[in-house]
mmCIF file of all heavy atoms in Angstrom:
data_model
loop_
_atom_site.group_PDB
_atom_site.id
_atom_site.type_symbol
_atom_site.label_atom_id
_atom_site.label_comp_id
_atom_site.label_asym_id
_atom_site.label_seq_id
_atom_site.Cartn_x
_atom_site.Cartn_y
_atom_site.Cartn_z
ATOM 1 N N TYR A 863 -5.111 17.053 -13.304
ATOM 2 C CA TYR A 863 -4.421 16.721 -14.543
ATOM 3 C C TYR A 863 -3.176 17.594 -14.667
ATOM 4 O O TYR A 863 -3.230 18.800 -14.371
ATOM 5 C CB TYR A 863 -5.333 16.946 -15.754
ATOM 6 C CG TYR A 863 -4.728 16.468 -17.054
ATOM 7 C CD1 TYR A 863 -4.774 15.131 -17.399
ATOM 8 C CD2 TYR A 863 -4.111 17.373 -17.921
ATOM 9 C CE1 TYR A 863 -4.210 14.684 -18.584
ATOM 10 C CE2 TYR A 863 -3.557 16.937 -19.112
ATOM 11 C CZ TYR A 863 -3.605 15.584 -19.436
ATOM 12 O OH TYR A 863 -3.049 15.152 -20.591
ATOM 13 N N THR A 864 -2.075 16.996 -15.084
ATOM 14 C CA THR A 864 -0.833 17.745 -15.265
ATOM 15 C C THR A 864 -0.425 17.722 -16.736
ATOM 16 O O THR A 864 -0.630 16.725 -17.429
ATOM 17 C CB THR A 864 0.295 17.148 -14.408
ATOM 18 O OG1 THR A 864 0.436 15.753 -14.700
ATOM 19 C CG2 THR A 864 0.013 17.331 -12.930
ATOM 20 N N PHE A 865 0.175 18.820 -17.196
ATOM 21 C CA PHE A 865 0.617 18.966 -18.579
ATOM 22 C C PHE A 865 2.139 18.893 -18.639
ATOM 23 O O PHE A 865 2.834 19.476 -17.795
ATOM 24 C CB PHE A 865 0.145 20.314 -19.148
ATOM 25 C CG PHE A 865 -1.340 20.513 -19.102
ATOM 26 C CD1 PHE A 865 -1.945 21.071 -17.990
ATOM 27 C CD2 PHE A 865 -2.135 20.120 -20.179
ATOM 28 C CE1 PHE A 865 -3.314 21.258 -17.946
ATOM 29 C CE2 PHE A 865 -3.505 20.304 -20.141
ATOM 30 C CZ PHE A 865 -4.100 20.870 -19.025
ATOM 31 N N ASP A 866 2.634 18.177 -19.641
ATOM 32 C CA ASP A 866 4.078 18.084 -19.856
ATOM 33 C C ASP A 866 4.557 19.394 -20.466
ATOM 34 O O ASP A 866 4.307 19.683 -21.639
ATOM 35 C CB ASP A 866 4.394 16.900 -20.785
ATOM 36 C CG ASP A 866 5.885 16.594 -20.822
ATOM 37 O OD1 ASP A 866 6.677 17.451 -20.385
ATOM 38 O OD2 ASP A 866 6.250 15.507 -21.286
ATOM 39 N N VAL A 867 5.252 20.194 -19.681
ATOM 40 C CA VAL A 867 5.664 21.524 -20.110
ATOM 41 C C VAL A 867 6.703 21.453 -21.224
ATOM 42 O O VAL A 867 6.725 22.293 -22.133
ATOM 43 C CB VAL A 867 6.225 22.317 -18.908
ATOM 44 C CG1 VAL A 867 6.722 23.697 -19.344
ATOM 45 C CG2 VAL A 867 5.155 22.458 -17.830
ATOM 46 N N ARG A 868 7.543 20.434 -21.187
ATOM 47 C CA ARG A 868 8.611 20.340 -22.190
ATOM 48 C C ARG A 868 8.113 19.877 -23.547
ATOM 49 O O ARG A 868 8.758 20.092 -24.559
ATOM 50 C CB ARG A 868 9.691 19.367 -21.691
ATOM 51 C CG ARG A 868 10.458 19.882 -20.476
ATOM 52 C CD ARG A 868 11.492 18.871 -20.038
ATOM 53 N NE ARG A 868 12.246 19.368 -18.893
ATOM 54 C CZ ARG A 868 13.175 18.651 -18.254
ATOM 55 N NH1 ARG A 868 13.432 17.415 -18.651
ATOM 56 N NH2 ARG A 868 13.818 19.169 -17.228
ATOM 57 N N HIS A 869 6.987 19.190 -23.571
ATOM 58 C CA HIS A 869 6.468 18.664 -24.835
ATOM 59 C C HIS A 869 4.996 19.041 -24.981
ATOM 60 O O HIS A 869 4.112 18.184 -24.877
ATOM 61 C CB HIS A 869 6.634 17.142 -24.901
ATOM 62 C CG HIS A 869 8.052 16.684 -24.695
ATOM 63 N ND1 HIS A 869 8.556 16.373 -23.455
ATOM 64 C CD2 HIS A 869 9.070 16.508 -25.572
ATOM 65 C CE1 HIS A 869 9.823 16.011 -23.561
ATOM 66 N NE2 HIS A 869 10.161 16.089 -24.832
ATOM 67 N N LEU A 870 4.747 20.314 -25.201
ATOM 68 C CA LEU A 870 3.366 20.770 -25.395
ATOM 69 C C LEU A 870 2.957 20.544 -26.843
ATOM 70 O O LEU A 870 2.708 21.466 -27.614
ATOM 71 C CB LEU A 870 3.249 22.249 -25.033
ATOM 72 C CG LEU A 870 3.362 22.573 -23.540
ATOM 73 C CD1 LEU A 870 3.346 24.078 -23.323
ATOM 74 C CD2 LEU A 870 2.247 21.911 -22.755
ATOM 75 N N ASN A 871 2.896 19.261 -27.208
ATOM 76 C CA ASN A 871 2.513 18.881 -28.564
ATOM 77 C C ASN A 871 1.296 17.987 -28.458
ATOM 78 O O ASN A 871 1.364 16.856 -28.004
ATOM 79 C CB ASN A 871 3.668 18.144 -29.251
ATOM 80 C CG ASN A 871 3.346 17.771 -30.689
ATOM 81 O OD1 ASN A 871 2.323 18.192 -31.221
ATOM 82 N ND2 ASN A 871 4.215 16.997 -31.305
ATOM 83 N N PHE A 872 0.145 18.477 -28.862
ATOM 84 C CA PHE A 872 -1.108 17.740 -28.696
ATOM 85 C C PHE A 872 -1.426 16.840 -29.890
ATOM 86 O O PHE A 872 -2.472 16.223 -29.953
ATOM 87 C CB PHE A 872 -2.263 18.722 -28.468
ATOM 88 C CG PHE A 872 -2.100 19.505 -27.202
ATOM 89 C CD1 PHE A 872 -1.575 20.783 -27.230
ATOM 90 C CD2 PHE A 872 -2.455 18.961 -25.984
ATOM 91 C CE1 PHE A 872 -1.420 21.517 -26.066
ATOM 92 C CE2 PHE A 872 -2.311 19.688 -24.802
ATOM 93 C CZ PHE A 872 -1.785 20.968 -24.853
ATOM 94 N N LYS A 873 -0.516 16.794 -30.874
ATOM 95 C CA LYS A 873 -0.717 15.895 -32.008
ATOM 96 C C LYS A 873 -0.476 14.464 -31.560
ATOM 97 O O LYS A 873 0.366 14.183 -30.722
ATOM 98 C CB LYS A 873 0.240 16.248 -33.150
ATOM 99 C CG LYS A 873 -0.020 17.630 -33.743
ATOM 100 C CD LYS A 873 0.972 17.914 -34.859
ATOM 101 C CE LYS A 873 0.729 19.304 -35.457
ATOM 102 N NZ LYS A 873 1.695 19.599 -36.544
ATOM 103 N N THR A 874 -1.195 13.549 -32.176
ATOM 104 C CA THR A 874 -1.058 12.146 -31.801
ATOM 105 C C THR A 874 0.316 11.655 -32.208
ATOM 106 O O THR A 874 0.799 11.884 -33.308
ATOM 107 C CB THR A 874 -2.125 11.281 -32.490
ATOM 108 O OG1 THR A 874 -2.040 11.474 -33.906
ATOM 109 C CG2 THR A 874 -3.503 11.667 -32.004
ATOM 110 N N ASN A 875 0.951 10.979 -31.287
ATOM 111 C CA ASN A 875 2.285 10.451 -31.516
ATOM 112 C C ASN A 875 2.328 9.036 -30.956
ATOM 113 O O ASN A 875 2.217 8.837 -29.757
ATOM 114 C CB ASN A 875 3.333 11.341 -30.839
ATOM 115 C CG ASN A 875 4.756 10.889 -31.148
ATOM 116 O OD1 ASN A 875 4.960 9.898 -31.851
ATOM 117 N ND2 ASN A 875 5.721 11.627 -30.625
ATOM 118 N N LYS A 876 2.494 8.075 -31.820
ATOM 119 C CA LYS A 876 2.441 6.673 -31.408
ATOM 120 C C LYS A 876 3.564 6.322 -30.449
ATOM 121 O O LYS A 876 3.464 5.389 -29.677
ATOM 122 C CB LYS A 876 2.503 5.761 -32.645
ATOM 123 C CG LYS A 876 1.267 5.855 -33.512
ATOM 124 C CD LYS A 876 1.351 4.886 -34.673
ATOM 125 C CE LYS A 876 0.094 4.964 -35.531
ATOM 126 N NZ LYS A 876 0.155 4.034 -36.682
ATOM 127 N N SER A 877 4.679 7.064 -30.532
ATOM 128 C CA SER A 877 5.808 6.759 -29.670
ATOM 129 C C SER A 877 5.752 7.511 -28.342
ATOM 130 O O SER A 877 6.666 7.397 -27.536
ATOM 131 C CB SER A 877 7.111 7.121 -30.386
ATOM 132 O OG SER A 877 7.170 8.515 -30.632
ATOM 133 N N GLN A 878 4.689 8.294 -28.112
ATOM 134 C CA GLN A 878 4.596 9.093 -26.897
ATOM 135 C C GLN A 878 4.418 8.188 -25.687
ATOM 136 O O GLN A 878 3.706 7.192 -25.721
ATOM 137 C CB GLN A 878 3.428 10.073 -26.995
ATOM 138 C CG GLN A 878 3.411 11.125 -25.901
ATOM 139 C CD GLN A 878 2.319 12.136 -26.125
ATOM 140 O OE1 GLN A 878 1.551 12.021 -27.075
ATOM 141 N NE2 GLN A 878 2.247 13.121 -25.252
ATOM 142 N N ARG A 879 5.041 8.584 -24.581
ATOM 143 C CA ARG A 879 4.952 7.816 -23.346
ATOM 144 C C ARG A 879 3.556 7.944 -22.738
ATOM 145 O O ARG A 879 2.888 8.964 -22.889
ATOM 146 C CB ARG A 879 5.985 8.315 -22.344
ATOM 147 C CG ARG A 879 7.403 8.298 -22.848
ATOM 148 C CD ARG A 879 8.316 9.026 -21.884
ATOM 149 N NE ARG A 879 8.314 8.372 -20.599
ATOM 150 C CZ ARG A 879 9.080 7.327 -20.290
ATOM 151 N NH1 ARG A 879 9.917 6.835 -21.208
ATOM 152 N NH2 ARG A 879 9.041 6.774 -19.104
ATOM 153 N N GLN A 880 3.162 6.919 -22.026
ATOM 154 C CA GLN A 880 1.905 6.940 -21.294
ATOM 155 C C GLN A 880 2.191 6.561 -19.841
ATOM 156 O O GLN A 880 2.744 5.497 -19.582
ATOM 157 C CB GLN A 880 0.890 5.971 -21.906
ATOM 158 C CG GLN A 880 0.473 6.322 -23.317
ATOM 159 C CD GLN A 880 -0.522 5.319 -23.879
ATOM 160 O OE1 GLN A 880 -1.056 4.487 -23.162
ATOM 161 N NE2 GLN A 880 -0.774 5.408 -25.177
ATOM 162 N N GLU A 881 1.805 7.432 -18.928
ATOM 163 C CA GLU A 881 2.054 7.208 -17.510
ATOM 164 C C GLU A 881 0.797 7.534 -16.706
ATOM 165 O O GLU A 881 0.251 8.629 -16.823
ATOM 166 C CB GLU A 881 3.208 8.086 -17.007
ATOM 167 C CG GLU A 881 4.520 7.863 -17.728
ATOM 168 C CD GLU A 881 5.592 8.839 -17.249
ATOM 169 O OE1 GLU A 881 5.384 9.454 -16.183
ATOM 170 O OE2 GLU A 881 6.599 8.995 -17.947
ATOM 171 N N TYR A 882 0.355 6.574 -15.929
ATOM 172 C CA TYR A 882 -0.786 6.782 -15.043
ATOM 173 C C TYR A 882 -0.411 6.222 -13.672
ATOM 174 O O TYR A 882 -0.170 5.015 -13.529
ATOM 175 C CB TYR A 882 -2.040 6.079 -15.560
ATOM 176 C CG TYR A 882 -2.426 6.499 -16.965
ATOM 177 C CD1 TYR A 882 -2.072 5.728 -18.065
ATOM 178 C CD2 TYR A 882 -3.145 7.680 -17.190
ATOM 179 C CE1 TYR A 882 -2.408 6.107 -19.349
ATOM 180 C CE2 TYR A 882 -3.490 8.063 -18.476
ATOM 181 C CZ TYR A 882 -3.119 7.279 -19.544
ATOM 182 O OH TYR A 882 -3.460 7.657 -20.832
ATOM 183 N N ASP A 883 -0.334 7.097 -12.696
ATOM 184 C CA ASP A 883 0.019 6.693 -11.335
ATOM 185 C C ASP A 883 -1.044 7.216 -10.371
ATOM 186 O O ASP A 883 -1.307 8.423 -10.333
ATOM 187 C CB ASP A 883 1.390 7.254 -10.942
ATOM 188 C CG ASP A 883 2.504 6.715 -11.822
ATOM 189 O OD1 ASP A 883 2.949 5.585 -11.581
ATOM 190 O OD2 ASP A 883 2.909 7.436 -12.757
ATOM 191 N N PHE A 884 -1.636 6.305 -9.600
ATOM 192 C CA PHE A 884 -2.655 6.678 -8.622
ATOM 193 C C PHE A 884 -2.284 6.064 -7.277
ATOM 194 O O PHE A 884 -1.933 4.884 -7.208
ATOM 195 C CB PHE A 884 -4.035 6.182 -9.032
ATOM 196 C CG PHE A 884 -4.492 6.673 -10.384
ATOM 197 C CD1 PHE A 884 -4.319 5.888 -11.512
ATOM 198 C CD2 PHE A 884 -5.088 7.918 -10.522
ATOM 199 C CE1 PHE A 884 -4.728 6.327 -12.759
ATOM 200 C CE2 PHE A 884 -5.495 8.366 -11.768
ATOM 201 C CZ PHE A 884 -5.313 7.579 -12.888
ATOM 202 N N SER A 885 -2.356 6.861 -6.245
ATOM 203 C CA SER A 885 -2.132 6.371 -4.886
ATOM 204 C C SER A 885 -3.311 6.791 -4.023
ATOM 205 O O SER A 885 -3.704 7.964 -4.022
ATOM 206 C CB SER A 885 -0.837 6.934 -4.311
ATOM 207 O OG SER A 885 0.279 6.407 -4.992
ATOM 208 N N ILE A 886 -3.890 5.828 -3.328
ATOM 209 C CA ILE A 886 -5.029 6.070 -2.451
ATOM 210 C C ILE A 886 -4.559 5.858 -1.017
ATOM 211 O O ILE A 886 -4.059 4.778 -0.671
ATOM 212 C CB ILE A 886 -6.193 5.118 -2.778
ATOM 213 C CG1 ILE A 886 -6.606 5.276 -4.245
ATOM 214 C CG2 ILE A 886 -7.380 5.378 -1.864
ATOM 215 C CD1 ILE A 886 -7.578 4.228 -4.719
ATOM 216 N N TYR A 887 -4.705 6.892 -0.190
ATOM 217 C CA TYR A 887 -4.242 6.821 1.188
ATOM 218 C C TYR A 887 -5.417 6.966 2.145
ATOM 219 O O TYR A 887 -6.180 7.922 2.074
ATOM 220 C CB TYR A 887 -3.236 7.942 1.476
ATOM 221 C CG TYR A 887 -1.982 7.871 0.649
ATOM 222 C CD1 TYR A 887 -1.806 8.699 -0.459
ATOM 223 C CD2 TYR A 887 -0.968 6.980 0.966
ATOM 224 C CE1 TYR A 887 -0.648 8.646 -1.218
ATOM 225 C CE2 TYR A 887 0.189 6.907 0.210
ATOM 226 C CZ TYR A 887 0.341 7.746 -0.885
ATOM 227 O OH TYR A 887 1.488 7.665 -1.633
ATOM 228 N N SER A 888 -5.571 5.996 3.038
ATOM 229 C CA SER A 888 -6.496 6.112 4.155
ATOM 230 C C SER A 888 -5.686 5.799 5.411
ATOM 231 O O SER A 888 -4.520 5.425 5.329
ATOM 232 C CB SER A 888 -7.674 5.141 4.015
ATOM 233 O OG SER A 888 -7.246 3.807 4.215
ATOM 234 N N SER A 889 -6.289 5.969 6.578
ATOM 235 C CA SER A 889 -5.522 5.709 7.798
ATOM 236 C C SER A 889 -5.187 4.230 7.956
ATOM 237 O O SER A 889 -4.162 3.875 8.528
ATOM 238 C CB SER A 889 -6.315 6.189 9.015
ATOM 239 O OG SER A 889 -7.512 5.451 9.144
ATOM 240 N N MET A 890 -6.029 3.355 7.423
ATOM 241 C CA MET A 890 -5.842 1.919 7.622
ATOM 242 C C MET A 890 -5.187 1.218 6.435
ATOM 243 O O MET A 890 -4.313 0.365 6.610
ATOM 244 C CB MET A 890 -7.201 1.256 7.895
ATOM 245 C CG MET A 890 -7.111 -0.211 8.249
ATOM 246 S SD MET A 890 -8.745 -1.002 8.328
ATOM 247 C CE MET A 890 -9.535 -0.019 9.589
ATOM 248 N N VAL A 891 -5.582 1.572 5.211
ATOM 249 C CA VAL A 891 -5.156 0.854 4.010
ATOM 250 C C VAL A 891 -4.658 1.852 2.969
ATOM 251 O O VAL A 891 -5.198 2.954 2.845
ATOM 252 C CB VAL A 891 -6.322 0.017 3.425
ATOM 253 C CG1 VAL A 891 -5.879 -0.701 2.159
ATOM 254 C CG2 VAL A 891 -6.811 -0.992 4.446
ATOM 255 N N GLY A 892 -3.627 1.453 2.223
ATOM 256 C CA GLY A 892 -3.131 2.251 1.109
ATOM 257 C C GLY A 892 -3.085 1.417 -0.157
ATOM 258 O O GLY A 892 -2.910 0.193 -0.107
ATOM 259 N N VAL A 893 -3.265 2.067 -1.301
ATOM 260 C CA VAL A 893 -3.262 1.374 -2.593
ATOM 261 C C VAL A 893 -2.449 2.192 -3.594
ATOM 262 O O VAL A 893 -2.604 3.413 -3.673
ATOM 263 C CB VAL A 893 -4.703 1.184 -3.136
ATOM 264 C CG1 VAL A 893 -4.670 0.436 -4.470
ATOM 265 C CG2 VAL A 893 -5.572 0.446 -2.135
ATOM 266 N N ASP A 894 -1.569 1.521 -4.329
ATOM 267 C CA ASP A 894 -0.838 2.129 -5.443
ATOM 268 C C ASP A 894 -1.248 1.432 -6.729
ATOM 269 O O ASP A 894 -1.168 0.196 -6.827
ATOM 270 C CB ASP A 894 0.680 1.981 -5.262
ATOM 271 C CG ASP A 894 1.191 2.741 -4.059
ATOM 272 O OD1 ASP A 894 0.652 3.822 -3.794
ATOM 273 O OD2 ASP A 894 2.112 2.241 -3.394
ATOM 274 N N LEU A 895 -1.698 2.206 -7.713
ATOM 275 C CA LEU A 895 -2.040 1.688 -9.034
ATOM 276 C C LEU A 895 -1.172 2.409 -10.061
ATOM 277 O O LEU A 895 -1.015 3.631 -9.985
ATOM 278 C CB LEU A 895 -3.516 1.939 -9.352
ATOM 279 C CG LEU A 895 -4.548 1.379 -8.378
ATOM 280 C CD1 LEU A 895 -5.933 1.920 -8.707
ATOM 281 C CD2 LEU A 895 -4.552 -0.140 -8.418
ATOM 282 N N TYR A 896 -0.607 1.667 -11.003
ATOM 283 C CA TYR A 896 0.229 2.332 -12.002
ATOM 284 C C TYR A 896 0.207 1.577 -13.326
ATOM 285 O O TYR A 896 0.070 0.348 -13.390
ATOM 286 C CB TYR A 896 1.674 2.490 -11.505
ATOM 287 C CG TYR A 896 2.229 1.304 -10.763
ATOM 288 C CD1 TYR A 896 2.823 0.243 -11.419
ATOM 289 C CD2 TYR A 896 2.154 1.254 -9.371
ATOM 290 C CE1 TYR A 896 3.328 -0.837 -10.731
ATOM 291 C CE2 TYR A 896 2.654 0.172 -8.670
ATOM 292 C CZ TYR A 896 3.242 -0.865 -9.354
ATOM 293 O OH TYR A 896 3.721 -1.943 -8.656
ATOM 294 N N TYR A 897 0.346 2.379 -14.370
ATOM 295 C CA TYR A 897 0.453 1.856 -15.738
ATOM 296 C C TYR A 897 1.455 2.740 -16.467
ATOM 297 O O TYR A 897 1.308 3.968 -16.515
ATOM 298 C CB TYR A 897 -0.895 1.892 -16.450
ATOM 299 C CG TYR A 897 -0.801 1.546 -17.921
ATOM 300 C CD1 TYR A 897 -0.769 0.212 -18.331
ATOM 301 C CD2 TYR A 897 -0.729 2.540 -18.897
ATOM 302 C CE1 TYR A 897 -0.668 -0.117 -19.679
ATOM 303 C CE2 TYR A 897 -0.636 2.219 -20.233
ATOM 304 C CZ TYR A 897 -0.597 0.893 -20.621
ATOM 305 O OH TYR A 897 -0.497 0.575 -21.943
ATOM 306 N N ARG A 898 2.491 2.146 -17.009
ATOM 307 C CA ARG A 898 3.538 2.899 -17.698
ATOM 308 C C ARG A 898 3.885 2.187 -19.005
ATOM 309 O O ARG A 898 4.210 1.004 -19.015
ATOM 310 C CB ARG A 898 4.793 3.029 -16.832
ATOM 311 C CG ARG A 898 4.535 3.705 -15.505
ATOM 312 C CD ARG A 898 5.752 3.664 -14.608
ATOM 313 N NE ARG A 898 6.792 4.559 -15.077
ATOM 314 C CZ ARG A 898 6.915 5.818 -14.703
ATOM 315 N NH1 ARG A 898 6.029 6.348 -13.866
ATOM 316 N NH2 ARG A 898 7.889 6.575 -15.147
ATOM 317 N N LYS A 899 3.833 2.953 -20.077
ATOM 318 C CA LYS A 899 4.213 2.454 -21.387
ATOM 319 C C LYS A 899 5.208 3.452 -21.978
ATOM 320 O O LYS A 899 4.900 4.625 -22.150
ATOM 321 C CB LYS A 899 2.992 2.329 -22.304
ATOM 322 C CG LYS A 899 3.324 1.756 -23.672
ATOM 323 C CD LYS A 899 2.069 1.635 -24.519
ATOM 324 C CE LYS A 899 2.395 1.052 -25.892
ATOM 325 N NZ LYS A 899 1.174 0.968 -26.739
#
Side-chain angles (χ1 to χ4, degrees):
Y863 187 81
T864 55
F865 302 89
D866 191 344
V867 178
R868 292 180 179 176
H869 304 91
L870 289 175
N871 182 8
F872 297 98
K873 295 180 180 180
T874 56
N875 185 359
K876 292 183 179 179
S877 64
Q878 191 175 2
R879 304 170 62 84
Q880 296 179 11
E881 301 176 15
Y882 303 98
D883 297 280
F884 303 96
S885 292
I886 303 170
Y887 298 102
S888 71
S889 64
M890 186 188 301
V891 179
V893 181
D894 295 324
L895 303 170
Y896 41 86
Y897 172 82
R898 302 173 72 91
K899 182 179 180 182

